[in-house]
Amino acid sequence: MKLATLRSPNPSDRDGRLAVVSRDNRRAVLVGPAVAPTLLRALQSWDRVEPDLRKLYESLNRESARESFELNPNDCLAPLPNAPGFYDGSAFLSHVRRAREARGDRMPESAKQTPLMYQGVSDNLLAWNAPIDLIDPSYGGDFEGEFGIVPLDVPRGTPSSEVSPFIALIVLFNDITFREIVKTEIQTKFGFLQSKPNSSFAPLAVTPDELGEDWRDGRIGLDLEVRFNDQLFGRPNGREMHFSFFELTAHACRTRPLSAGSVIGSGTVSNQEKERGFACLTEKRFQEVLDGGSATTEWLQPGDRVRMDCRAEGRSVFGTIDQAAVL
């Protein structure tokens, strides 16, 4: 099942209107307020609402849904414009390893045992085509292609072996980062704040069953295609996650419950083989240091364009992220 949030005609309605989208991403139908006016409300009452949403989805795919319409991606907001929480991990150890080796360091064994995770900004999440506001080029603007999951209410202390039934949706997002500010904030050992502005999301959130065999063991076995200024920048696959989404979720809820509609991110999708390319500028820079002694790739500049997409059976799974960097 595929879900989207469409812009409301009421400008004060920040959470938009919930819509079910056909498998081919072409048509949609609005969900009635009696079922769930927003995606967040749907997730908060998932056991009651999900069967009705699935019936709408099936009728859309049979081309029998009443009041269906052609989906205009420009009407789509982030699937969850305001999420209760945002917990971003770093589950791809090839990304961590490159960073360490580029600094002349070794990845500690502890990195294989405990996920890295920070709590990011969860409100005002951006649409798929929102401009990347660089604010100041000296901040070192970067993109990061990531997968994420959206759970239902997860009780505190839920072990990874019991997380699977709580995962409702899967998303694709661009975790925008100011790398030069990271260098300052990381020294404080108090987490990221100014270096992590609002992330942008592909327009569609999908249920795990929509991925078929590409959802296995809490991992997403899809290629994430990243294009930078119309050139292929990378096509890493999500299968190489060291920590699964089950483990990331258990880590996030160790001492607190998680509210339905929170977002848990994978960290930058990364593969050990450098030939698969990269999903962020900084990892390419790490590889340039390892290969030639210095980084030559620049941070984002005004006018740069970033596209991210995942395809299965010839179709875009989440819709496309397509953003231009601006000042």
Side-chain angles (χ1 to χ4, degrees), residues 192-214:
F192 302 128
L193 180 66
Q194 297 170 348
S195 58
K196 293 289 186 175
N198 312 77
S199 297
S200 60
F201 283 72
L204 306 179
V206 308
T207 49
D209 62 287
E210 197 68 28
L211 272 58
E213 290 299 312
D214 289 321

Side-chain angles (χ1 to χ4, degrees), residues 2-3 25 39 77-80 86 88 92 125-129 143-150 169-176 199-207 211 215 220 222-227 234-238 245 263-270 279 306-312 315-323:
K2 295 189 174 188
L3 302 173
N25 305 342
L39 181 52
L77 303 174
L80 285 158
F86 182 85
D88 202 12
F92 291 87
L125 297 176
L126 304 176
W128 63 276
N129 58 351
F143 54 84
E144 290 187 66
E146 302 193 24
F147 294 118
I149 61 97
V150 179
L169 299 169
I170 299 172
V171 294
L172 170 68
F173 67 97
N174 177 12
D175 179 36
I176 300 165
S199 297
S200 60
F201 283 72
L204 306 179
V206 308
T207 49
L211 272 58
W215 171 252
I220 298 166
L222 293 171
D223 289 345
L224 171 54
E225 182 176 289
V226 180
R227 290 191 172 274
R235 197 180 279 122
N237 189 282
F245 277 112
V263 178
I264 298 175
S266 65
T268 306
V269 179
S270 172
V306 181
R307 288 175 56 91
M308 300 179 185
D309 196 9
C310 293
R311 304 187 71 83
R315 290 192 296 260
S316 177
V317 176
F318 307 99
T320 303
I321 294 173
D322 188 351
Q323 297 180 274

Side-chain angles (χ1 to χ4, degrees), residues 23-242:
R23 182 170 286 114
D24 62 9
N25 305 342
R26 293 181 179 178
R27 298 194 67 78
V29 61
L30 287 171
V31 178
V35 177
T38 66
L39 181 52
L40 181 57
R41 289 282 293 276
L43 290 162
Q44 291 168 340
S45 304
W46 194 247
D47 288 344
R48 175 183 65 83
V49 169
E50 192 271 346
D52 291 330
L53 298 179
R54 194 162 290 279
K55 287 178 183 178
L56 280 173
Y57 184 60
E58 291 169 355
S59 66
L60 262 177
N61 292 324
R62 291 195 306 266
E63 299 183 356
S64 62
R66 296 180 180 178
E67 300 182 352
S68 70
F69 53 89
E70 185 175 350
L71 179 66
N72 182 353
N74 290 320
D75 293 334
C76 293
L77 303 174
L80 285 158
N82 296 284
F86 182 85
Y87 309 92
D88 202 12
S90 185
F92 291 87
L93 293 193
S94 55
H95 179 80
V96 178
R97 186 177 296 109
R98 280 192 180 92
R100 291 276 185 167
E101 291 179 354
R103 296 196 296 264
D105 198 359
R106 296 183 64 183
M107 185 176 69
E109 285 299 310
S110 61
K112 302 177 183 178
Q113 307 302 321
T114 305
L116 297 172
M117 184 172 285
Y118 72 91
Q119 187 167 347
V121 58
S122 62
D123 60 335
N124 297 311
L125 297 176
L126 304 176
W128 63 276
N129 58 351
I132 300 174
D133 188 353
L134 300 178
I135 304 176
D136 184 332
S138 70
Y139 290 173
D142 195 1
F143 54 84
E144 290 187 66
E146 302 193 24
F147 294 118
I149 61 97
V150 179
L152 307 176
D153 289 317
V154 184
R156 181 185 68 192
T158 301
S160 61
S161 60
E162 298 177 15
V163 163
S164 182
F166 294 102
I167 296 179
L169 299 169
I170 299 172
V171 294
L172 170 68
F173 67 97
N174 177 12
D175 179 36
I176 300 165
T177 304
F178 294 130
R179 296 295 184 184
E180 297 300 331
I181 299 180
V182 165
K183 294 176 183 178
T184 300
E185 289 192 321
I186 204 167
Q187 297 301 320
T188 69
K189 299 183 179 181
F190 208 61
F192 302 128
L193 180 66
Q194 297 170 348
S195 58
K196 293 289 186 175
N198 312 77
S199 297
S200 60
F201 283 72
L204 306 179
V206 308
T207 49
D209 62 287
E210 197 68 28
L211 272 58
E213 290 299 312
D214 289 321
W215 171 252
R216 186 185 302 173
D217 302 324
R219 295 171 174 85
I220 298 166
L222 293 171
D223 289 345
L224 171 54
E225 182 176 289
V226 180
R227 290 191 172 274
F228 183 48
N229 292 332
D230 296 324
Q231 299 297 315
L232 181 64
F233 192 80
R235 197 180 279 122
N237 189 282
R239 181 60 61 196
E240 286 190 25
M241 280 179 81
H242 178 77

